[in-house]
Amino acid sequence: MLRTAILAAARTPTVERLITNASVARSLVARYVAGDEVADAVRVSQELIADGLAVTLDQLGEDTEDEAGAAATTEAYCGLLDALAHAGLAPPAEVSVKLSAVGQRLDPKLATENARKICQAAAAVGTTVTLDMEDHTTTDLTLDTLSTLRVDYPSTGAVLQAYLRRTETDCRELAHAGSRVRLCKGAYAEPESVGFENALDVDRSYVRCLNVLMAGEGYPMIATHDPRLVAIGEERARWYDRTPDTFEFQMLYGVRSDEQRRLARDGYTVRIYLPYGRDWYPYLMRRLAERPAYVALFARSLVSS
Ligand code: FDA
């Protein structure tokens, strides 16, 4: 219930105004976001890479409403890739792109062409792109874009969400050689007709999907902080004789940092999802929805500020 309410607030302009102007939000944002500028993204990437981690960078922003905004986001990603290359960080840095930020709601073809420009810029500096997955109404469109982009850029990564009932089938289709697939639980509010409501059902689905990906021939990217699922990921890697260059763990910047470093020390590839930019509101709300314990604290600080 609380999760659904927070995710609904993520799309409510009055709540957005209240929260983005609150100083308490700024301090929470600092936990999850590198900073406002490309320079912040590069600096934090450098620190993470020095600690033995890889990164995937997200220029914050979604649901772009006009072509100019979509073009600006595309340019921003190309600029980011140049800056990463200039700093000698691309690779191991790659980028994660939300298709809604590059125009998917206006015209899926426009979003595909903008994403292609980002793939081109990534390939030019020797790295790649992963397409984030948004709510279920966009899943088919995003997978269509993925297959179009993979013709020329086969390393383009997909994201699949274990909370969707369809995902085990999607995993089977994408578990082929060369296919990079990030498996996460899913961060949006979805109706029961398409998604599992119960946390245990989501976890069970995650394990079924993980089994398909780890048994397959692709490159699974195990994106979770859940200690049980991380342990199952490690166990499946041993079972399927997967060496550290054939799969990776992924976690969000600011979440379970000690575990990120523990996995890296144990020889696993660990990639940190690192957002930056000023448009942090929906991202912060999804992080709050995952951590209801913060919400009471956050609400109290809002009232007293
Ligand atoms: P779960 O939410 O059960 O958390 C397990 C434990 O992790 C918690 O008990 C807590 O200790 C810690 N934790 C989790 N979230 C936290 C938070 N916000 N703050 C503090 N502690 C927290 N989703 C999506 O729909 N589309 C996408 O493209 C992506 N992309 C993506 C990339 C990467 C690299 C990651 C790690 C995650 C995503 N996600 C995503 C988000 C994902 O769907 C999911 O919402 C979060 O990862 C939380 O789920 P967990 O698997 O961590 O489990």
Side-chain angles (χ1 to χ4, degrees), residues 76-248:
Y77 267 105
C78 296
L80 168 68
L81 284 156
D82 279 347
L84 289 169
H86 197 67
L89 302 176
E94 57 141 69
V95 295
S96 287
V97 176
K98 284 186 177 46
L99 289 177
S100 78
V102 293
Q104 191 182 53
R105 276 173 200 269
L106 301 169
D107 175 4
K109 285 203 183 100
L110 171 77
T112 303
E113 286 321 301
N114 283 334
R116 178 187 295 284
K117 289 180 190 154
I118 300 171
C119 289
Q120 215 163 20
V125 298
T127 190
T128 192
V129 174
T130 295
L131 299 181
D132 282 345
M133 191 58 87
E134 300 176 69
D135 71 55
H136 81 278
T137 61
T138 65
T139 309
D140 282 325
L141 290 174
T142 301
L143 293 179
D144 284 352
T145 294
L146 177 82
S147 63
T148 304
L149 294 175
R150 279 185 170 181
V151 173
D152 293 322
Y153 303 100
S155 64
T156 307
V159 177
L160 295 176
Q161 299 152 316
Y163 67 10
L164 293 185
R165 296 175 191 277
R166 59 178 284 168
T167 295
E168 195 179 342
T169 307
D170 290 333
C171 284
R172 286 186 204 291
E173 287 189 9
L174 289 179
H176 55 81
S179 172
R180 297 167 63 251
V181 181
R182 173 192 301 160
L183 179 64
C184 63
K185 287 191 185 178
Y188 297 80
E190 302 290 12
E192 207 196 339
S193 53
V194 299
F196 299 108
E197 301 268 280
N198 177 300
L200 187 59
D201 288 336
V202 176
D203 291 358
R204 286 184 175 137
S205 166
Y206 196 104
V207 175
R208 288 194 302 275
C209 294
L210 184 63
N211 288 342
V212 172
L213 295 176
M214 293 297 269
E217 294 182 358
Y219 183 90
M221 303 188 277
I222 309 171
T224 182
H225 317 92
D226 186 326
R228 271 205 312 176
L229 295 179
V230 170
I232 292 170
E234 290 182 272
E235 190 274 330
R236 294 300 188 271
R238 285 190 290 276
W239 178 260
Y240 290 110
D241 280 334
R242 278 190 173 264
T243 50
D245 57 335
T246 63
F247 74 104
E248 66 187 44

Side-chain angles (χ1 to χ4, degrees), residues 30-31 33-35 39-55 57 84 87 89 92-93 253 257 260-261 264 270 272 274:
R31 172 184 176 162
V33 174
D40 299 314
V42 171
R43 175 181 44 79
V44 178
S45 297
Q46 251 152 356
E47 291 165 8
L48 293 169
I49 290 167
D51 275 356
L53 303 162
V55 289
L57 286 127
L84 289 169
L89 302 176
Y253 179 65
S257 305
Q260 296 170 6
R261 283 152 184 84
V270 183
I272 308 307
L274 180 62

